[in-house]
Amino acid sequence: MTSMSRRVPPFAVVAALGLMTAACGGETTPPTPSTVTVTQTPTEQTTGPERRQLTTQQVTAALPTKDDVPAIFRPDSRGFDTSSVSERTTDPASCLALYMATPAQRTFTKEHLVADGGVRFSEDPDEPGSASISVGILSYDEPYPREYLDEAGAVLGECSTFTSRTTPDSAEGTWQATTISTPTLGDQSFGVRIGSRDIDLAIDYLWVRSGHNVVHVRMLTGYRQDNGDQLKTSAQGVLDDLAATP
């Protein structure tokens, strides 16, 4: 993994709040294609503890600890809220799919989420906007729909530049969305970088579908950093722990 000692600029904190409720590595980001194919396994498996509905206790046990992330990160008591209902709006509205927050996705989560949890690790937990990594697990009472990740890949081209508000009353921000290297994980995976070149700020999102479960990794980072290895390591670690669940 590329060193992540670089701190996100303090003036970027306000912008980060426009990206998400807070969630870090080479250089250039590849150009955004009009459509992105979501990575899928050749043959989806339907068995295995990592694909079955989980309990809250099983979710908590599979979340990473400080020993599972690079030493520059420390536990952040602000945590990672995986159960809050998103109020985000985007223009175009289709860009909500990049956040897994379309009306259909919100309804599915509201009706089918049975267990969830998340943790956050930051370079400096006392400094808002500090580089960070957040990992969450969401488990549902039926398999997570494949079309949600497919939809996110399909809209990436039209969302190369879009505006977003985290709540109806929050400030509007303008962001760029670009594809990031998406590893083959679980049954299906999708990765996107949402940020601003101008202020050198981004958040990398990796979503991994595994039957009834979704593993979600977010990294608050500089726009030009490459976090592919760490995103994959974090998600795979959770899948491995879930696979060992009794």
Side-chain angles (χ1 to χ4, degrees), residues 148-242:
Y148 292 165
L149 276 73
D150 291 336
E151 184 180 358
V155 305
L156 193 49
E158 64 191 89
C159 298
S160 57
T161 299
F162 68 98
T163 61
S164 174
R165 298 177 187 269
T166 53
T167 68
D169 298 327
S170 65
E172 183 178 77
T174 299
W175 311 107
Q176 293 87 48
T178 56
T179 180
I180 58 176
S181 177
T182 304
T184 302
L185 295 169
D187 304 325
Q188 195 179 16
S189 53
F190 171 74
V192 63
R193 169 164 291 186
I194 300 176
S196 171
R197 294 180 181 88
D198 294 339
I199 60 175
D200 191 23
L201 174 75
I203 294 173
D204 286 343
Y205 296 79
L206 175 62
W207 308 87
V208 179
R209 174 186 176 275
S210 183
H212 287 244
N213 308 310
V214 173
V215 178
H216 180 37
V217 184
R218 297 182 185 179
M219 299 188 74
L220 176 60
T221 179
Y223 196 90
R224 295 167 180 82
Q225 289 178 276
D226 177 6
N227 306 308
D229 288 346
Q230 185 59 51
L231 290 166
K232 180 177 180 178
T233 297
S234 296
Q236 187 62 60
V238 171
L239 292 173
D240 290 346
D241 284 349
L242 291 176

Side-chain angles (χ1 to χ4, degrees), residues 7-121:
R7 187 179 304 280
V8 176
F11 65 83
V13 174
V14 175
L17 296 178
L19 278 168
M20 68 166 203
T21 302
C24 291
E27 270 293 328
T28 57
T29 302
T32 305
S34 58
T35 302
V36 172
T37 300
V38 177
T39 303
Q40 304 182 23
T41 54
T43 302
E44 180 172 330
Q45 302 296 316
T46 57
T47 59
E50 73 275 21
R51 292 177 171 85
R52 295 197 297 259
Q53 178 181 322
L54 304 170
T55 65
T56 299
Q57 183 178 9
Q58 290 170 327
V59 166
T60 301
L63 288 170
T65 69
K66 63 181 180 60
D67 295 327
D68 299 317
V69 297
I72 64 169
F73 292 118
R74 292 183 286 154
D76 192 323
S77 61
R78 291 171 294 178
F80 180 27
D81 186 357
T82 51
S83 59
S84 61
V85 178
S86 174
E87 296 184 82
R88 183 181 297 280
T89 57
T90 61
D91 185 12
S94 59
C95 300
L96 284 171
L98 302 180
Y99 299 94
M100 300 296 155
T102 66
Q105 292 163 343
R106 293 174 186 177
T107 298
F108 180 85
T109 294
K110 194 176 299 183
E111 295 178 351
H112 298 284
L113 184 69
V114 293
D116 67 289
V119 290
R120 186 194 309 191
F121 304 91

